[in-house]
Amino acid sequence: MSVTVKHLYKSYQGRAVLRDVSFRAGRGRVTCVEAPSGGGKTTLFRILMGLESPDSGAVTLPESCTFSAVFQEDRLLSGRDARYNLRFVLGRAYDETAARTLLDALGLSDALEKPVRDYSGGMRRRLALIRALLMPSDVLILDEPFTGTDAQTRRCALDAVRRYAAGRVTLLATHTRSDANALDADTVRLR
Amino acid sequence: MKRNPRLWTAFFWLALWEGVSLLFGQPLLLPSPLSVAARLAGLLGTLSFWEAVARSSVRILAGFALGCAGGILLAVPASARPRVRQLLSPAVATVKAIPVASFVILSLVWLPSRALSTFIAFLMTLPPVYLGVSEGIRSADPQLLEMARVFRVPLLRRARGIYVPAVLPAFRTAVSLALGLCWKAGVAAEVIGLPRGTVGERLYSAKVYFLTTDLFAWTVVVVTLSVCFERVFLSLLDGVSKRMGV
């Protein structure tokens, strides 16, 4: 299974955001998408998830492909606690043990009962990452998932991504080169 | 001793009422608060009082419940489909604009008088609930809806997690408005339609026989019922909101 992008173009009000983007992301590999801020990473991810259409070009996905994602924004149910947020997307796939393990690893177990609106920015980001990792899917999209994390938590988060990326196509946008290196990621540069 | 501002406000207005009543010196025009309280105490001890209160409450609240259900059921497709919203818009505007008295008289032609207050309460509740719920649904966070779409969250779970918390604040405002309107319009409908053994009929009798003290006492009853039902319903709603993290 893989995701193939061929000659993708997208512009907004005459401003080209994606210009002739082509790559292939394979299963079990992390593909790191590199671009400066405003360079089209989020647009590319939105096109892959079917939230936007390209001006031209093609995206080839496996039939009935499922996604999980860390969006550019955290997109959490702010009045609810971590468990509810996880159950909301996972439904019957929610596994308390797996959730606990990840929440512990990323330092959120103490805040489990608190509504997410009381979390710091970094905590919200970590919860968004845990939600995406725990959700079974074919493609995992991570749009700057490590924002606001300290060095130690970042290492734990990278470990978790490495573990959960196995068996899926993983696309990662990060500004930190060392993150891509730590995940032994393939690199796609957007022009 | 700490002064309770609410108590002082109530005391001020009651004292003013008593003063004006003494100034008039005509209990037929303006009975004193004490005589109204005494009459109310007398009414509380009669079975017919409680029967009238129960009958009117059940009918008005049934209309309120039906109005809420109707408003929600119409708001869901109207929020999803602009054409449905356009189709419903003149009907809702008409119901809002037509005077209650016109509806009551018209309804008397169609319905038995015992169903009148239910129908009028239904008409008073439906537009604000419909508009409030529609607004709430449309205010649901588009980013959360997009997230739910990507994660393929089923519709029912999406409704509970995203739409209901978005709708609750607007629904609360609508319900608060509707409950007040229900009691005012519902009792007015009873006064015109005169269904037997209701609060409205008792108010009408008080007016016909110049029992001004009774008129005031029954008015106090209507205001109290309206306030109590509003408080109970809103506190239940606040409990739900709190549980849903709103």
Side-chain angles (χ1 to χ4, degrees), chain A residues 46 49-51 65-69 71 73 75-77 79-80 84 87-89 91 117 131 135, chain B residues 142-144 146-154 157-162 165 243-246:
Chain A
R46 288 181 63 78
M49 288 187 280
L51 300 174
C65 173
T66 55
F67 290 92
S68 66
F71 296 86
E73 313 82 13
R75 302 197 186 191
L76 297 162
L77 306 175
R80 301 297 202 145
Y84 187 93
R87 279 184 191 275
F88 178 73
V89 296
R117 70 164 76 95
R131 178 179 68 183
M135 180 72 185
Chain B
Q143 291 193 340
L144 288 180
E146 215 174 61
M147 174 275 288
R149 194 177 134 198
V150 168
F151 282 104
R152 295 187 180 188
V153 176
R157 211 185 308 149
R158 215 180 288 192
R160 231 176 50 195
I162 301 173
R243 265 206 355 247
M244 300 203 102
V246 179

mmCIF file of all heavy atoms in Angstrom, chain A residues 46 49-51 65-69 71 73 75-77 79-80 84 87-89 91 117 131 135, chain B residues 142-144 146-154 157-162 165 243-246:
data_model
loop_
_atom_site.group_PDB
_atom_site.id
_atom_site.type_symbol
_atom_site.label_atom_id
_atom_site.label_comp_id
_atom_site.label_asym_id
_atom_site.label_seq_id
_atom_site.Cartn_x
_atom_site.Cartn_y
_atom_site.Cartn_z
ATOM 1 N N ARG A 46 -4.337 18.549 3.264
ATOM 2 C CA ARG A 46 -5.794 18.707 3.120
ATOM 3 C C ARG A 46 -6.271 18.068 1.806
ATOM 4 O O ARG A 46 -7.322 17.456 1.760
ATOM 5 C CB ARG A 46 -6.179 20.189 3.161
ATOM 6 C CG ARG A 46 -6.042 20.789 4.566
ATOM 7 C CD ARG A 46 -6.445 22.248 4.581
ATOM 8 N NE ARG A 46 -7.842 22.445 4.230
ATOM 9 C CZ ARG A 46 -8.863 22.242 5.054
ATOM 10 N NH1 ARG A 46 -8.634 21.852 6.291
ATOM 11 N NH2 ARG A 46 -10.102 22.451 4.654
ATOM 12 N N MET A 49 -6.320 14.303 2.296
ATOM 13 C CA MET A 49 -7.445 13.847 3.126
ATOM 14 C C MET A 49 -8.792 14.077 2.447
ATOM 15 O O MET A 49 -9.837 13.780 3.017
ATOM 16 C CB MET A 49 -7.411 14.559 4.483
ATOM 17 C CG MET A 49 -6.279 14.084 5.377
ATOM 18 S SD MET A 49 -6.359 14.771 7.041
ATOM 19 C CE MET A 49 -5.663 16.389 6.818
ATOM 20 N N GLY A 50 -8.767 14.673 1.272
ATOM 21 C CA GLY A 50 -10.016 14.913 0.543
ATOM 22 C C GLY A 50 -10.773 16.133 1.030
ATOM 23 O O GLY A 50 -11.959 16.280 0.738
ATOM 24 N N LEU A 51 -10.108 17.012 1.771
ATOM 25 C CA LEU A 51 -10.787 18.207 2.284
ATOM 26 C C LEU A 51 -10.724 19.357 1.282
ATOM 27 O O LEU A 51 -11.446 20.334 1.410
ATOM 28 C CB LEU A 51 -10.155 18.644 3.617
ATOM 29 C CG LEU A 51 -10.223 17.607 4.738
ATOM 30 C CD1 LEU A 51 -9.451 18.078 5.965
ATOM 31 C CD2 LEU A 51 -11.661 17.302 5.119
ATOM 32 N N CYS A 65 -9.508 4.094 1.677
ATOM 33 C CA CYS A 65 -8.373 4.452 2.541
ATOM 34 C C CYS A 65 -8.863 5.247 3.764
ATOM 35 O O CYS A 65 -9.693 6.140 3.642
ATOM 36 C CB CYS A 65 -7.414 5.281 1.696
ATOM 37 S SG CYS A 65 -6.065 5.989 2.604
ATOM 38 N N THR A 66 -8.350 4.892 4.927
ATOM 39 C CA THR A 66 -8.754 5.633 6.143
ATOM 40 C C THR A 66 -7.588 6.506 6.635
ATOM 41 O O THR A 66 -6.426 6.134 6.485
ATOM 42 C CB THR A 66 -9.178 4.666 7.267
ATOM 43 O OG1 THR A 66 -8.114 3.751 7.497
ATOM 44 C CG2 THR A 66 -10.455 3.937 6.913
ATOM 45 N N PHE A 67 -7.950 7.636 7.229
ATOM 46 C CA PHE A 67 -6.941 8.604 7.704
ATOM 47 C C PHE A 67 -7.061 8.829 9.195
ATOM 48 O O PHE A 67 -8.150 8.756 9.769
ATOM 49 C CB PHE A 67 -7.163 9.973 7.030
ATOM 50 C CG PHE A 67 -6.829 9.996 5.580
ATOM 51 C CD1 PHE A 67 -7.810 9.738 4.631
ATOM 52 C CD2 PHE A 67 -5.537 10.275 5.149
ATOM 53 C CE1 PHE A 67 -7.514 9.765 3.279
ATOM 54 C CE2 PHE A 67 -5.236 10.298 3.796
ATOM 55 C CZ PHE A 67 -6.227 10.037 2.862
ATOM 56 N N SER A 68 -5.927 9.137 9.793
ATOM 57 C CA SER A 68 -5.980 9.801 11.101
ATOM 58 C C SER A 68 -4.947 10.927 11.016
ATOM 59 O O SER A 68 -3.993 10.827 10.234
ATOM 60 C CB SER A 68 -5.701 8.841 12.251
ATOM 61 O OG SER A 68 -4.394 8.371 12.198
ATOM 62 N N ALA A 69 -5.182 11.961 11.804
ATOM 63 C CA ALA A 69 -4.341 13.150 11.578
ATOM 64 C C ALA A 69 -4.141 13.987 12.827
ATOM 65 O O ALA A 69 -5.005 14.040 13.694
ATOM 66 C CB ALA A 69 -4.983 14.012 10.494
ATOM 67 N N PHE A 71 -3.920 17.772 12.997
ATOM 68 C CA PHE A 71 -4.127 18.912 12.102
ATOM 69 C C PHE A 71 -3.196 20.054 12.510
ATOM 70 O O PHE A 71 -2.557 20.000 13.567
ATOM 71 C CB PHE A 71 -5.580 19.383 12.186
ATOM 72 C CG PHE A 71 -6.564 18.355 11.698
ATOM 73 C CD1 PHE A 71 -7.036 17.367 12.555
ATOM 74 C CD2 PHE A 71 -7.017 18.355 10.392
ATOM 75 C CE1 PHE A 71 -7.943 16.409 12.121
ATOM 76 C CE2 PHE A 71 -7.917 17.403 9.946
ATOM 77 C CZ PHE A 71 -8.379 16.424 10.813
ATOM 78 N N GLU A 73 -4.205 22.788 13.593
ATOM 79 C CA GLU A 73 -4.785 23.200 14.886
ATOM 80 C C GLU A 73 -5.076 21.914 15.670
ATOM 81 O O GLU A 73 -5.193 20.858 15.071
ATOM 82 C CB GLU A 73 -6.099 23.963 14.675
ATOM 83 C CG GLU A 73 -6.053 25.052 13.618
ATOM 84 C CD GLU A 73 -6.230 24.483 12.202
ATOM 85 O OE1 GLU A 73 -6.616 23.317 12.071
ATOM 86 O OE2 GLU A 73 -5.934 25.212 11.244
ATOM 87 N N ARG A 75 -7.785 20.903 17.319
ATOM 88 C CA ARG A 75 -9.125 20.379 17.012
ATOM 89 C C ARG A 75 -9.598 19.351 18.035
ATOM 90 O O ARG A 75 -9.974 18.220 17.686
ATOM 91 C CB ARG A 75 -9.167 19.805 15.601
ATOM 92 C CG ARG A 75 -8.775 20.841 14.574
ATOM 93 C CD ARG A 75 -9.179 20.459 13.189
ATOM 94 N NE ARG A 75 -8.669 21.412 12.224
ATOM 95 C CZ ARG A 75 -9.029 21.469 10.967
ATOM 96 N NH1 ARG A 75 -9.908 20.631 10.509
ATOM 97 N NH2 ARG A 75 -8.525 22.376 10.154
ATOM 98 N N LEU A 76 -9.564 19.745 19.300
ATOM 99 C CA LEU A 76 -10.041 18.884 20.379
ATOM 100 C C LEU A 76 -11.365 19.436 20.902
ATOM 101 O O LEU A 76 -11.651 20.619 20.728
ATOM 102 C CB LEU A 76 -9.017 18.854 21.514
ATOM 103 C CG LEU A 76 -7.647 18.264 21.156
ATOM 104 C CD1 LEU A 76 -6.605 18.691 22.178
ATOM 105 C CD2 LEU A 76 -7.707 16.749 21.076
ATOM 106 N N LEU A 77 -12.146 18.580 21.546
ATOM 107 C CA LEU A 77 -13.397 19.031 22.163
ATOM 108 C C LEU A 77 -13.003 19.676 23.494
ATOM 109 O O LEU A 77 -12.717 18.980 24.470
ATOM 110 C CB LEU A 77 -14.354 17.858 22.372
ATOM 111 C CG LEU A 77 -14.644 17.019 21.114
ATOM 112 C CD1 LEU A 77 -15.500 15.818 21.457
ATOM 113 C CD2 LEU A 77 -15.306 17.858 20.043
ATOM 114 N N GLY A 79 -14.284 21.328 25.973
ATOM 115 C CA GLY A 79 -14.995 21.197 27.248
ATOM 116 C C GLY A 79 -14.886 19.797 27.848
ATOM 117 O O GLY A 79 -15.344 19.560 28.961
ATOM 118 N N ARG A 80 -14.313 18.867 27.094
ATOM 119 C CA ARG A 80 -14.258 17.467 27.530
ATOM 120 C C ARG A 80 -12.851 17.074 27.949
ATOM 121 O O ARG A 80 -11.890 17.730 27.577
ATOM 122 C CB ARG A 80 -14.701 16.555 26.380
ATOM 123 C CG ARG A 80 -16.084 16.826 25.897
ATOM 124 C CD ARG A 80 -17.100 16.562 26.985
ATOM 125 N NE ARG A 80 -18.397 16.320 26.407
ATOM 126 C CZ ARG A 80 -19.279 15.477 26.896
ATOM 127 N NH1 ARG A 80 -19.025 14.799 27.997
ATOM 128 N NH2 ARG A 80 -20.445 15.323 26.317
ATOM 129 N N TYR A 84 -12.584 11.385 26.953
ATOM 130 C CA TYR A 84 -13.730 11.616 26.074
ATOM 131 C C TYR A 84 -13.256 11.944 24.660
ATOM 132 O O TYR A 84 -13.817 11.465 23.674
ATOM 133 C CB TYR A 84 -14.622 12.747 26.604
ATOM 134 C CG TYR A 84 -15.894 12.889 25.800
ATOM 135 C CD1 TYR A 84 -17.063 12.235 26.195
ATOM 136 C CD2 TYR A 84 -15.925 13.626 24.619
ATOM 137 C CE1 TYR A 84 -18.223 12.332 25.439
ATOM 138 C CE2 TYR A 84 -17.078 13.727 23.855
ATOM 139 C CZ TYR A 84 -18.224 13.080 24.277
ATOM 140 O OH TYR A 84 -19.369 13.171 23.516
ATOM 141 N N ARG A 87 -12.196 8.718 23.063
ATOM 142 C CA ARG A 87 -13.367 7.879 22.772
ATOM 143 C C ARG A 87 -14.196 8.455 21.627
ATOM 144 O O ARG A 87 -14.816 7.703 20.877
ATOM 145 C CB ARG A 87 -14.265 7.778 24.021
ATOM 146 C CG ARG A 87 -13.793 6.752 25.038
ATOM 147 C CD ARG A 87 -14.827 6.706 26.155
ATOM 148 N NE ARG A 87 -14.375 5.953 27.300
ATOM 149 C CZ ARG A 87 -14.494 4.632 27.404
ATOM 150 N NH1 ARG A 87 -15.062 3.951 26.428
ATOM 151 N NH2 ARG A 87 -14.063 4.017 28.484
ATOM 152 N N PHE A 88 -14.217 9.779 21.532
ATOM 153 C CA PHE A 88 -15.022 10.435 20.505
ATOM 154 C C PHE A 88 -14.620 9.975 19.103
ATOM 155 O O PHE A 88 -15.465 9.687 18.271
ATOM 156 C CB PHE A 88 -14.875 11.955 20.622
ATOM 157 C CG PHE A 88 -15.627 12.721 19.570
ATOM 158 C CD1 PHE A 88 -17.008 12.820 19.620
ATOM 159 C CD2 PHE A 88 -14.959 13.327 18.521
ATOM 160 C CE1 PHE A 88 -17.708 13.502 18.636
ATOM 161 C CE2 PHE A 88 -15.647 14.022 17.538
ATOM 162 C CZ PHE A 88 -17.024 14.107 17.603
ATOM 163 N N VAL A 89 -13.316 9.884 18.860
ATOM 164 C CA VAL A 89 -12.899 9.449 17.516
ATOM 165 C C VAL A 89 -12.744 7.924 17.434
ATOM 166 O O VAL A 89 -13.021 7.328 16.412
ATOM 167 C CB VAL A 89 -11.587 10.130 17.036
ATOM 168 C CG1 VAL A 89 -11.752 11.605 16.883
ATOM 169 C CG2 VAL A 89 -10.433 9.804 17.921
ATOM 170 N N GLY A 91 -14.251 5.438 19.299
ATOM 171 C CA GLY A 91 -15.456 4.619 19.486
ATOM 172 C C GLY A 91 -15.114 3.286 20.108
ATOM 173 O O GLY A 91 -14.436 3.222 21.141
ATOM 174 N N ARG A 117 -9.784 22.377 27.853
ATOM 175 C CA ARG A 117 -9.602 23.837 27.826
ATOM 176 C C ARG A 117 -8.640 24.315 28.925
ATOM 177 O O ARG A 117 -8.085 25.394 28.826
ATOM 178 C CB ARG A 117 -10.948 24.557 27.942
ATOM 179 C CG ARG A 117 -11.655 24.478 29.271
ATOM 180 C CD ARG A 117 -12.735 25.547 29.352
ATOM 181 N NE ARG A 117 -13.912 25.205 28.565
ATOM 182 C CZ ARG A 117 -14.994 24.604 29.065
ATOM 183 N NH1 ARG A 117 -15.056 24.283 30.339
ATOM 184 N NH2 ARG A 117 -16.033 24.335 28.307
ATOM 185 N N ARG A 131 -4.323 10.976 20.014
ATOM 186 C CA ARG A 131 -5.581 10.638 19.329
ATOM 187 C C ARG A 131 -5.289 10.096 17.928
ATOM 188 O O ARG A 131 -5.851 9.080 17.516
ATOM 189 C CB ARG A 131 -6.445 11.893 19.255
ATOM 190 C CG ARG A 131 -7.758 11.711 18.529
ATOM 191 C CD ARG A 131 -8.556 12.990 18.516
ATOM 192 N NE ARG A 131 -7.918 14.015 17.688
ATOM 193 C CZ ARG A 131 -8.374 15.257 17.544
ATOM 194 N NH1 ARG A 131 -9.450 15.638 18.211
ATOM 195 N NH2 ARG A 131 -7.767 16.129 16.765
ATOM 196 N N MET A 135 -5.793 5.992 16.678
ATOM 197 C CA MET A 135 -6.841 5.714 15.695
ATOM 198 C C MET A 135 -6.315 4.784 14.608
ATOM 199 O O MET A 135 -5.369 5.131 13.890
ATOM 200 C CB MET A 135 -7.294 7.037 15.069
ATOM 201 C CG MET A 135 -8.380 6.874 14.027
ATOM 202 S SD MET A 135 -9.938 6.459 14.825
ATOM 203 C CE MET A 135 -10.939 6.177 13.370
ATOM 204 N N PRO B 142 -16.496 24.502 12.504
ATOM 205 C CA PRO B 142 -16.233 23.774 11.249
ATOM 206 C C PRO B 142 -14.952 22.942 11.297
ATOM 207 O O PRO B 142 -14.858 21.908 10.648
ATOM 208 C CB PRO B 142 -16.127 24.881 10.193
ATOM 209 C CG PRO B 142 -15.926 26.152 10.933
ATOM 210 C CD PRO B 142 -16.510 25.969 12.301
ATOM 211 N N GLN B 143 -13.976 23.390 12.109
ATOM 212 C CA GLN B 143 -12.726 22.616 12.214
ATOM 213 C C GLN B 143 -12.975 21.287 12.922
ATOM 214 O O GLN B 143 -12.395 20.259 12.547
ATOM 215 C CB GLN B 143 -11.683 23.423 12.982
ATOM 216 C CG GLN B 143 -11.196 24.626 12.184
ATOM 217 C CD GLN B 143 -9.960 25.240 12.791
ATOM 218 O OE1 GLN B 143 -9.658 25.040 13.967
ATOM 219 N NE2 GLN B 143 -9.241 25.999 11.993
ATOM 220 N N LEU B 144 -13.836 21.313 13.935
ATOM 221 C CA LEU B 144 -14.156 20.063 14.630
ATOM 222 C C LEU B 144 -14.954 19.138 13.708
ATOM 223 O O LEU B 144 -14.752 17.917 13.712
ATOM 224 C CB LEU B 144 -14.961 20.344 15.905
ATOM 225 C CG LEU B 144 -14.204 20.982 17.066
ATOM 226 C CD1 LEU B 144 -15.129 21.211 18.252
ATOM 227 C CD2 LEU B 144 -13.032 20.109 17.506
ATOM 228 N N GLU B 146 -14.747 19.020 10.505
ATOM 229 C CA GLU B 146 -13.790 18.495 9.532
ATOM 230 C C GLU B 146 -12.974 17.349 10.153
ATOM 231 O O GLU B 146 -12.761 16.311 9.524
ATOM 232 C CB GLU B 146 -12.856 19.625 9.116
ATOM 233 C CG GLU B 146 -12.427 19.564 7.675
ATOM 234 C CD GLU B 146 -11.616 20.786 7.297
ATOM 235 O OE1 GLU B 146 -10.546 21.022 7.893
ATOM 236 O OE2 GLU B 146 -12.065 21.514 6.423
ATOM 237 N N MET B 147 -12.560 17.568 11.419
ATOM 238 C CA MET B 147 -11.806 16.537 12.134
ATOM 239 C C MET B 147 -12.655 15.253 12.230
ATOM 240 O O MET B 147 -12.177 14.157 11.946
ATOM 241 C CB MET B 147 -11.446 17.072 13.530
ATOM 242 C CG MET B 147 -10.780 16.112 14.481
ATOM 243 S SD MET B 147 -11.912 15.076 15.407
ATOM 244 C CE MET B 147 -12.628 16.253 16.538
ATOM 245 N N ALA B 148 -13.930 15.417 12.588
ATOM 246 C CA ALA B 148 -14.819 14.257 12.731
ATOM 247 C C ALA B 148 -14.989 13.547 11.383
ATOM 248 O O ALA B 148 -15.084 12.320 11.334
ATOM 249 C CB ALA B 148 -16.161 14.708 13.273
ATOM 250 N N ARG B 149 -15.009 14.328 10.316
ATOM 251 C CA ARG B 149 -15.153 13.745 8.980
ATOM 252 C C ARG B 149 -13.913 12.910 8.631
ATOM 253 O O ARG B 149 -14.026 11.788 8.144
ATOM 254 C CB ARG B 149 -15.334 14.883 7.975
ATOM 255 C CG ARG B 149 -15.814 14.434 6.623
ATOM 256 C CD ARG B 149 -16.028 15.648 5.746
ATOM 257 N NE ARG B 149 -15.433 15.420 4.441
ATOM 258 C CZ ARG B 149 -15.149 16.381 3.578
ATOM 259 N NH1 ARG B 149 -15.388 17.638 3.890
ATOM 260 N NH2 ARG B 149 -14.627 16.096 2.408
ATOM 261 N N VAL B 150 -12.729 13.464 8.906
ATOM 262 C CA VAL B 150 -11.485 12.752 8.596
ATOM 263 C C VAL B 150 -11.401 11.456 9.408
ATOM 264 O O VAL B 150 -11.035 10.401 8.883
ATOM 265 C CB VAL B 150 -10.257 13.653 8.870
ATOM 266 C CG1 VAL B 150 -8.964 12.858 8.845
ATOM 267 C CG2 VAL B 150 -10.197 14.777 7.839
ATOM 268 N N PHE B 151 -11.792 11.537 10.686
ATOM 269 C CA PHE B 151 -11.722 10.347 11.545
ATOM 270 C C PHE B 151 -12.939 9.426 11.374
ATOM 271 O O PHE B 151 -13.075 8.446 12.103
ATOM 272 C CB PHE B 151 -11.612 10.766 13.018
ATOM 273 C CG PHE B 151 -10.231 11.204 13.424
ATOM 274 C CD1 PHE B 151 -9.924 12.542 13.591
ATOM 275 C CD2 PHE B 151 -9.238 10.275 13.650
ATOM 276 C CE1 PHE B 151 -8.651 12.950 13.971
ATOM 277 C CE2 PHE B 151 -7.958 10.670 14.034
ATOM 278 C CZ PHE B 151 -7.656 12.007 14.191
ATOM 279 N N ARG B 152 -13.832 9.798 10.467
ATOM 280 C CA ARG B 152 -15.050 9.014 10.193
ATOM 281 C C ARG B 152 -15.861 8.751 11.460
ATOM 282 O O ARG B 152 -16.262 7.607 11.746
ATOM 283 C CB ARG B 152 -14.701 7.700 9.511
ATOM 284 C CG ARG B 152 -14.095 7.914 8.149
ATOM 285 C CD ARG B 152 -13.922 6.616 7.417
ATOM 286 N NE ARG B 152 -13.337 6.832 6.101
ATOM 287 C CZ ARG B 152 -13.215 5.894 5.190
ATOM 288 N NH1 ARG B 152 -13.629 4.671 5.431
ATOM 289 N NH2 ARG B 152 -12.677 6.159 4.026
ATOM 290 N N VAL B 153 -16.071 9.788 12.220
ATOM 291 C CA VAL B 153 -16.873 9.665 13.449
ATOM 292 C C VAL B 153 -18.347 9.529 13.038
ATOM 293 O O VAL B 153 -18.828 10.344 12.248
ATOM 294 C CB VAL B 153 -16.675 10.907 14.357
ATOM 295 C CG1 VAL B 153 -17.566 10.845 15.575
ATOM 296 C CG2 VAL B 153 -15.215 11.046 14.755
ATOM 297 N N PRO B 154 -19.066 8.511 13.547
ATOM 298 C CA PRO B 154 -20.471 8.342 13.162
ATOM 299 C C PRO B 154 -21.331 9.556 13.551
ATOM 300 O O PRO B 154 -21.009 10.263 14.516
ATOM 301 C CB PRO B 154 -20.912 7.108 13.950
ATOM 302 C CG PRO B 154 -19.680 6.463 14.424
ATOM 303 C CD PRO B 154 -18.603 7.482 14.479
ATOM 304 N N ARG B 157 -22.555 10.152 17.247
ATOM 305 C CA ARG B 157 -21.482 10.565 18.157
ATOM 306 C C ARG B 157 -21.056 12.005 17.853
ATOM 307 O O ARG B 157 -20.764 12.791 18.742
ATOM 308 C CB ARG B 157 -20.294 9.616 18.015
ATOM 309 C CG ARG B 157 -19.512 9.470 19.332
ATOM 310 C CD ARG B 157 -18.277 8.633 19.185
ATOM 311 N NE ARG B 157 -18.527 7.341 18.574
ATOM 312 C CZ ARG B 157 -17.637 6.700 17.821
ATOM 313 N NH1 ARG B 157 -16.463 7.235 17.567
ATOM 314 N NH2 ARG B 157 -17.911 5.514 17.308
ATOM 315 N N ARG B 158 -21.069 12.328 16.558
ATOM 316 C CA ARG B 158 -20.731 13.684 16.118
ATOM 317 C C ARG B 158 -21.763 14.671 16.685
ATOM 318 O O ARG B 158 -21.411 15.746 17.154
ATOM 319 C CB ARG B 158 -20.803 13.714 14.587
ATOM 320 C CG ARG B 158 -19.791 14.590 13.932
ATOM 321 C CD ARG B 158 -19.950 14.559 12.434
ATOM 322 N NE ARG B 158 -19.523 13.289 11.827
ATOM 323 C CZ ARG B 158 -19.360 13.125 10.518
ATOM 324 N NH1 ARG B 158 -19.592 14.127 9.696
ATOM 325 N NH2 ARG B 158 -18.968 11.978 10.039
ATOM 326 N N ALA B 159 -23.018 14.266 16.658
ATOM 327 C CA ALA B 159 -24.089 15.137 17.174
ATOM 328 C C ALA B 159 -23.881 15.383 18.663
ATOM 329 O O ALA B 159 -23.967 16.519 19.140
ATOM 330 C CB ALA B 159 -25.444 14.496 16.920
ATOM 331 N N ARG B 160 -23.582 14.299 19.399
ATOM 332 C CA ARG B 160 -23.427 14.432 20.857
ATOM 333 C C ARG B 160 -22.184 15.234 21.231
ATOM 334 O O ARG B 160 -22.195 16.012 22.178
ATOM 335 C CB ARG B 160 -23.360 13.040 21.481
ATOM 336 C CG ARG B 160 -24.330 12.897 22.631
ATOM 337 C CD ARG B 160 -24.352 11.535 23.184
ATOM 338 N NE ARG B 160 -23.024 11.012 23.484
ATOM 339 C CZ ARG B 160 -22.774 9.740 23.718
ATOM 340 N NH1 ARG B 160 -23.736 8.865 23.662
ATOM 341 N NH2 ARG B 160 -21.554 9.330 24.004
ATOM 342 N N GLY B 161 -21.114 15.017 20.485
ATOM 343 C CA GLY B 161 -19.843 15.658 20.852
ATOM 344 C C GLY B 161 -19.678 17.073 20.329
ATOM 345 O O GLY B 161 -19.019 17.892 20.956
ATOM 346 N N ILE B 162 -20.266 17.368 19.157
ATOM 347 C CA ILE B 162 -20.032 18.685 18.536
ATOM 348 C C ILE B 162 -21.311 19.518 18.460
ATOM 349 O O ILE B 162 -21.343 20.661 18.919
ATOM 350 C CB ILE B 162 -19.414 18.519 17.125
ATOM 351 C CG1 ILE B 162 -18.087 17.760 17.214
ATOM 352 C CG2 ILE B 162 -19.195 19.886 16.475
ATOM 353 C CD1 ILE B 162 -17.473 17.401 15.869
ATOM 354 N N PRO B 165 -23.293 20.401 22.173
ATOM 355 C CA PRO B 165 -22.668 21.500 22.940
ATOM 356 C C PRO B 165 -22.771 22.849 22.228
ATOM 357 O O PRO B 165 -22.858 23.887 22.883
ATOM 358 C CB PRO B 165 -21.204 21.064 23.064
ATOM 359 C CG PRO B 165 -21.216 19.596 22.888
ATOM 360 C CD PRO B 165 -22.326 19.301 21.932
ATOM 361 N N ARG B 243 -22.401 18.723 32.255
ATOM 362 C CA ARG B 243 -21.932 17.363 31.966
ATOM 363 C C ARG B 243 -21.290 17.278 30.585
ATOM 364 O O ARG B 243 -20.401 16.475 30.334
ATOM 365 C CB ARG B 243 -23.106 16.383 32.045
ATOM 366 C CG ARG B 243 -23.199 15.736 33.395
ATOM 367 C CD ARG B 243 -23.857 14.377 33.422
ATOM 368 N NE ARG B 243 -24.428 13.871 32.221
ATOM 369 C CZ ARG B 243 -25.736 13.671 32.015
ATOM 370 N NH1 ARG B 243 -26.595 13.979 32.938
ATOM 371 N NH2 ARG B 243 -26.186 13.171 30.885
ATOM 372 N N MET B 244 -21.785 18.115 29.664
ATOM 373 C CA MET B 244 -21.248 18.082 28.299
ATOM 374 C C MET B 244 -20.064 19.029 28.125
ATOM 375 O O MET B 244 -19.587 19.240 27.013
ATOM 376 C CB MET B 244 -22.339 18.431 27.308
ATOM 377 C CG MET B 244 -23.499 17.479 27.379
ATOM 378 S SD MET B 244 -24.436 17.450 25.868
ATOM 379 C CE MET B 244 -23.881 15.964 25.108
ATOM 380 N N GLY B 245 -19.636 19.646 29.218
ATOM 381 C CA GLY B 245 -18.450 20.496 29.170
ATOM 382 C C GLY B 245 -18.679 21.837 28.486
ATOM 383 O O GLY B 245 -17.741 22.453 27.995
ATOM 384 N N VAL B 246 -19.955 22.280 28.434
ATOM 385 C CA VAL B 246 -20.242 23.574 27.777
ATOM 386 C C VAL B 246 -20.022 24.710 28.762
ATOM 387 O O VAL B 246 -20.504 24.647 29.884
ATOM 388 C CB VAL B 246 -21.701 23.618 27.254
ATOM 389 C CG1 VAL B 246 -22.002 24.965 26.586
ATOM 390 C CG2 VAL B 246 -21.925 22.498 26.268
#
